[in-house]
Amino acid sequence: MQNASDIIRTVSRHTLAYMLFSISEMFRNYDEFDPMDLLIIHAILNANVISVMNDPSLDEKFSSIHTVEPDAIKQGVSRAALSRFLSLPLETVRRRVTGLKRRKILAETKAGLIVTEQNAFKFGNNHELQKTNMLLLTKLLRDLKRAGINGPDDLRAPESAASTRKAK
């Protein structure tokens, strides 16, 4: 079995490649958008559906590629929270959000910003991007398996590595 540092390095390499390929595909699919705007949109999308992903019944209800979470159940996010999450200046977030609201991609609710269900650019419901993500995820899992990482139990540091770290 690999030691803890080897596992960390292996997982880091492969997950970084997955993230970069995913970002590249997102940029390719939405080439008319500035990369910073895409980052903000997708951070908001993620915040909008965290409560859905954490609720098994909602997660199942909206798991189909043909269903979109209705705006009414989306969890809003504030500009300040986005600024902190993305490590961007608050003024940058404010300015970008204003432009995205003008384009009717974002809406303001009492709970904060959401990516609208009916946005004309299919953010949150782009089937081609979802299918590409499945291919990229399959590649990531295959590459990790080839590296000897078959599941979460393989990510635990071996006992000897953990005790060596404590002894230092």
Side-chain angles (χ1 to χ4, degrees):
M1 178 179 257
Q2 298 177 329
N3 69 40
S5 337
D6 293 346
I7 291 170
I8 290 168
R9 181 162 170 74
T10 299
V11 170
S12 294
R13 250 192 342 255
H14 289 288
T15 55
L16 179 60
Y18 167 78
M19 290 186 302
L20 290 171
F21 281 128
S22 296
I23 291 167
S24 172
E25 286 301 316
M26 182 175 67
F27 290 170
R28 192 178 342 281
N29 271 269
Y30 295 110
D31 61 354
E32 70 271 23
F33 283 87
D34 180 275
M36 184 67 66
D37 288 340
L38 288 173
L39 184 63
I40 289 169
I41 291 165
H42 284 84
I44 294 169
L45 268 172
N46 184 65
N48 290 168
V49 298
I50 285 176
S51 58
V52 172
M53 292 187 300
N54 288 333
D55 181 325
S57 64
L58 286 176
D59 202 22
E60 183 178 342
K61 181 177 181 177
F62 296 106
S63 64
S64 168
I65 198 166
H66 303 291
T67 57
V68 179
E69 299 83 359
D71 291 348
I73 69 165
K74 290 180 180 173
Q75 180 177 311
V77 63
S78 71
R79 289 163 182 77
L82 269 175
S83 170
R84 288 189 303 273
F85 178 71
L86 295 172
S87 295
L88 292 173
L90 184 56
E91 189 49 43
T92 299
V93 172
R94 279 190 187 128
R95 189 177 61 253
R96 299 291 182 138
V97 162
T98 298
L100 293 167
K101 283 175 62 180
R102 246 186 264 122
R103 292 178 84 173
K104 302 203 182 314
I105 295 166
L106 301 181
E108 192 95 34
T109 68
K110 288 179 184 176
L113 297 165
I114 63 166
V115 175
T116 62
E117 179 184 358
Q118 299 299 322
N119 75 81
F121 301 95
K122 297 169 96 177
F123 287 111
N125 195 30
N126 182 322
H127 295 180
E128 290 307 311
L129 203 52
Q130 292 167 343
K131 289 175 189 173
T132 300
N133 185 54
M134 287 300 293
L135 294 172
L136 294 173
L137 181 61
T138 301
K139 180 186 179 333
L140 170 63
L141 295 173
R142 188 180 312 118
D143 291 347
L144 288 173
K145 186 173 185 172
R146 193 180 65 240
I149 300 164
N150 297 303
D153 292 341
D154 295 331
L155 299 176
R156 292 196 183 108
E159 288 299 318
S160 60
S163 59
T164 304
R165 276 197 313 269
K166 289 179 187 173
K168 289 184 179 180

